[in-house]
Amino acid sequence: MQITFDIADDELQVFMPEAEEQLKKLEDGLMQLERSGADDDLLQVIFRAAHTLKGAAGAIGHVRMTELTHVMETVLDGLRKGQYAPRPAMMDALLAGLDALRLLLEEVVSHE
């Protein structure tokens, strides 16, 4: 199925590296969170990466990426606010979300 996004080829050259950078920050941060537990600075970095990616995805009209990053951002915000602590099932879900975001990012390139 062909997918169309609101992005020109020259904008794609800006979007893709930025999105990949935010995904890398998310990955590194989630791995550190899983190993070391929560700290305020780390949670802020992870939250900001999800927030930035959500905004970029929204700007090009990638609804599924926007919705997924919004959900992840909500969970991360709860962690940031101390509403709950990171648990193994939560970390598994966040890492699965990260994997899904990578697949969704590929849609931008392939248009499928």
Side-chain angles (χ1 to χ4, degrees):
M1 179 172 85
Q2 187 73 13
I3 301 173
T4 305
F5 298 105
D6 186 20
I7 188 167
D9 286 339
D10 61 328
E11 295 169 322
L12 182 64
Q13 302 307 313
V14 175
F15 173 79
M16 289 302 291
E18 175 66 22
E20 289 168 356
E21 178 183 343
Q22 297 312 316
L23 286 173
K24 180 70 172 140
K25 286 180 183 179
L26 271 171
E27 177 182 27
D28 292 347
L30 290 173
M31 297 305 278
Q32 185 177 344
L33 181 62
E34 192 171 44
R35 280 190 313 270
S36 306
D39 77 57
D40 292 344
D41 291 337
L42 175 60
L43 289 171
Q44 183 60 29
V45 167
I46 300 168
F47 176 84
R48 178 57 53 202
H51 183 75
T52 300
L53 186 58
K54 180 184 78 172
I60 67 165
H62 198 316
V63 175
R64 292 182 302 157
M65 184 179 277
T66 303
E67 289 174 350
L68 178 54
T69 52
H70 178 73
V71 170
M72 292 175 73
E73 181 184 49
T74 300
V75 171
L76 294 166
D77 193 41
L79 289 170
R80 247 182 4 162
K81 292 177 178 176
Q83 294 171 334
Y84 35 82
R87 300 237 188 307
M90 179 189 300
M91 295 307 303
D92 289 346
L94 287 168
L95 290 168
L98 177 65
D99 290 341
L101 287 173
R102 285 198 173 96
L103 293 173
L104 292 170
L105 182 61
E106 184 56 35
E107 291 180 346
V108 178
V109 176
S110 69
H111 297 285
E112 294 183 4

